[in-house]
Each structure stands twice: as structure tokens, then as C-alpha cells.
Amino acid sequence: MLSGLVIVDKPQGWTSHDVVGRMRRIAGTRKVGHAGTLDPMATGVLVVGINKATRLLTYIVGTSKTYTATIRLGESTITDDAEGDIVATVSAAVVTDEAIHDGVAALTGEIQQVPSSVSAIKVNGERAYARVRSGEEVKLAARPVTIHCFDVHGIRRERGGEVLDIDVTVECSSGTYIRALARDLGNGLGVGGHLTALRRTHVGPYSLDQARTLEQLAEELTVLEMSQAARALMPNRELTVEETTEISFGRRIAAGAPAGSPEAATVERPAAAFAPDGSLVALLADSGTYAKPVLVFAPGNAASAAVTGGDA
């Protein structure tokens, strides 16, 4: 049974769910999932797991993301992006390049961000965007996010300077809304703003260079094999033959690093353990002087049930 990751170049106008549905038909299996939603307006990297590789997706969701984007200053929309109706216009002619760079700097690092009110975040069990569409005013709580990099590449003054289009690259933590960055940059400059283009170029270690369009994948399904995917994603541990045998039966082995040390593997950030032949055997977490399997893979990289004990 084919298992692995597929790096999809998502087309504009498609939801992430649409892509999963198409990949189910291409791969000929129902067991397909994705590692983090990408808005319909956006294009670029969407990591899709097939069959047993869906077990890896939870470790991809929390990785950092990188985007290229265009922010328009001078217009605000109800969705904070180009898909929503314009709700306010303020001339951006007085906004200087220096002010833009200062505004970007203020939104770099560890910040508190209020997600867009039309996001998929649930409020009392219902998606925020559904409440907005029904006419309800939704106010979401701010949440901490980290903007590792917010670089301006170009500033274009359109319509006689009434609106400004800014080309940027953003590297950020999981859970960051780029359209909220566009909104907050515009609000901070007093003219409003929204996102007009968004392309995701990296999800963790997986990049646009590896991505294929759905049309390309329909012609030739390109799958990143489980061992390759795990090697790129996690700390690696090479096992001996004896350790491979023990872990294959869900038993513990000597720790790779002391628990609590920066090098120690954890349940949230496990190490990928490989047999001498290079195959993926398990995901391991260090606990005291031992390493315990979080998830064991049977021969052929077929995942078994997660292991919670492993002391035998």
C-alpha cells in the first residue's frame, strides 16, 4: 500500500478540502489528509499525507511557514483579503516608505495577533466565518504568534498614490494569519489594509521546489517516501540491529539524550528512528535514561497503533 507525503502546489480558488478530495482520486485511497489549511485565495505548498503517512501530519502542522504576499494599503475589506467586500478607503498618499518599514518592524518578533473574524476558528462550537455570514459580530481573542521574518521587497504607489501595494516575505510560526498582518499593518499606519496575493513557499522542511500541481500529480504521482519525509522533519536516530528489534516490539531502549536536555526527543517533538537498512522503525521520545516508542512502524513502514507503555 502506497504511503508517503505529497507536496502539492495548491491552485487558487481551491480549498484544502478540495485538494484532499482530488488526491483521494489520484492516489486511489480514502486515507488522505493535509497538514494545515491554506485559504482558497492562496496558492503554494500544501503537505498531503497518504495512508500511513497521515500519522506524520500532526508533527508537520506546528512547523514554521514561509509566504510571499502582496499587501494593499488604503483599503480595508471585511475578510482582510481580496475576497471580501471593501468596507473602508483612506488615501495612503501620505504614508512614507520609512513609515512602512517601521510598521513592519513593529509586527516582527513575538506579537499578539487577533485572527480575522472570518477565520475557521470555532466560537462556541461554530466556525467564526459562519457566525459572521449569519450577521453576527464576532470578536476573537488575541493569541501569541512569532513573526521570524517580515521583509519588504517592493513598494508600488498605484492610482496616484491613493493605494500602496507592498510585496513581502513572511516567515512565521504556526497559527499566524498573514491577512491579519496586512490588516494590522494598515491599521497601524492609519489607512487600513488587506491582502491581495498569498503564496506559501515552505512548510517546515518542505518547499515549493518539491511541489507539483494537481495536473502533474494526475499524470505522475510523486510521493516523498516515509523515511525521507521523517528524516527531513525530525531529529534522526540510527538504531543498531538489536535496538531495531526491541523497538519493533514496542520495548524501550537506552535514551538518545538525557531527558530535559535540548537534544532530548519528546512526545511532541520525537526523534525518527531508523534501522541499519535506512527504513523508518519508530518515533521515539526520551524519558529518563530510556527512549520509549511514541509510534512504531511495522516492516515496510506501515504504522501500527501508538505505543503508550513500552516498559516490557
Side-chain angles (χ1 to χ4, degrees):
M1 181 170 57
L2 179 67
S3 293
L5 297 182
V6 180
I7 316 302
V8 179
D9 185 350
K10 189 189 84 65
Q12 189 171 17
W14 285 56
T15 66
S16 300
H17 182 72
D18 292 337
V19 173
V20 167
R22 181 73 176 109
M23 285 305 308
R24 283 173 175 157
R25 294 191 292 275
I26 291 173
T29 178
R30 293 290 303 170
K31 197 167 185 181
V32 176
H34 66 78
T37 300
L38 197 54
D39 285 344
M41 186 191 84
T43 65
V45 176
L46 183 69
V47 180
V48 173
I50 296 176
N51 291 321
K52 303 302 181 182
T54 55
R55 295 291 189 92
L56 296 177
L57 296 178
T58 186
Y59 303 105
I60 301 172
V61 170
T63 59
S64 63
K65 317 292 192 298
T66 304
Y67 301 86
T68 58
T70 300
I71 296 169
R72 172 158 290 183
L73 299 180
E75 296 176 343
S76 302
T77 73
I78 192 170
T79 57
D80 301 327
D81 63 21
E83 294 196 322
D85 294 334
I86 295 174
V87 294
T89 59
V90 177
S91 174
V94 298
V95 177
T96 65
D97 289 8
E98 182 181 7
I100 292 171
H101 286 286
D102 288 344
V104 165
L107 291 169
T108 303
E110 296 180 358
I111 65 171
Q112 293 287 323
Q113 184 183 74
V114 177
S116 171
S117 61
V118 292
S119 69
I121 293 172
K122 286 189 176 181
V123 179
N124 296 327
E126 188 177 4
R127 301 290 185 186
Y129 62 75
R131 289 178 174 269
V132 171
R133 288 170 182 168
S134 66
E136 182 179 341
E137 183 179 356
V138 174
K139 293 185 177 180
L140 299 174
R143 54 180 59 188
V145 298
T146 302
I147 311 302
H148 303 292
C149 168
F150 194 172
D151 290 338
V152 176
H153 302 297
I155 300 173
R156 301 187 302 281
R157 298 179 180 272
E158 307 289 346
R159 302 179 199 165
E162 290 298 296
V163 298
L164 301 182
D165 286 342
I166 308 169
D167 298 322
V168 301
T169 296
V170 178
E171 181 185 350
C172 55
S173 63
S174 177
T176 302
Y177 286 84
I178 307 303
R179 52 195 162 121
L181 276 182
R183 175 202 66 204
D184 292 344
L185 178 63
N187 288 346
L189 293 168
V191 297
H194 71 281
L195 199 65
T196 62
L198 183 65
R199 185 159 176 76
R200 190 155 68 187
T201 59
H202 288 82
V203 174
Y206 312 115
S207 72
L208 201 55
D209 292 340
Q210 299 167 281
R212 299 292 181 269
T213 65
L214 291 170
E215 291 77 14
Q216 290 171 325
L217 291 166
E219 293 181 3
E220 181 181 0
L221 181 55
T222 305
V223 178
L224 187 62
E225 185 267 331
M226 294 272 287
S227 294
Q228 290 178 294
R231 278 193 182 279
L233 179 64
M234 301 169 176
N236 297 172
R237 180 168 176 181
E238 307 299 332
L239 302 179
T240 65
V241 172
E242 293 76 14
E243 289 173 330
T244 299
T245 301
E246 292 299 294
I247 288 296
S248 296
F249 284 100
R251 301 181 185 131
R252 64 187 186 179
I253 59 175
S261 68
E263 298 80 17
T266 65
V267 173
E268 295 76 22
R269 187 174 179 270
F274 300 93
D277 65 3
S279 62
L280 179 63
V281 177
L283 305 184
L284 302 180
D286 292 315
S287 178
T289 58
Y290 295 98
K292 298 180 179 181
V294 176
L295 181 65
V296 175
F297 294 84
N301 289 337
S304 70
V307 176
T308 57
D311 289 338

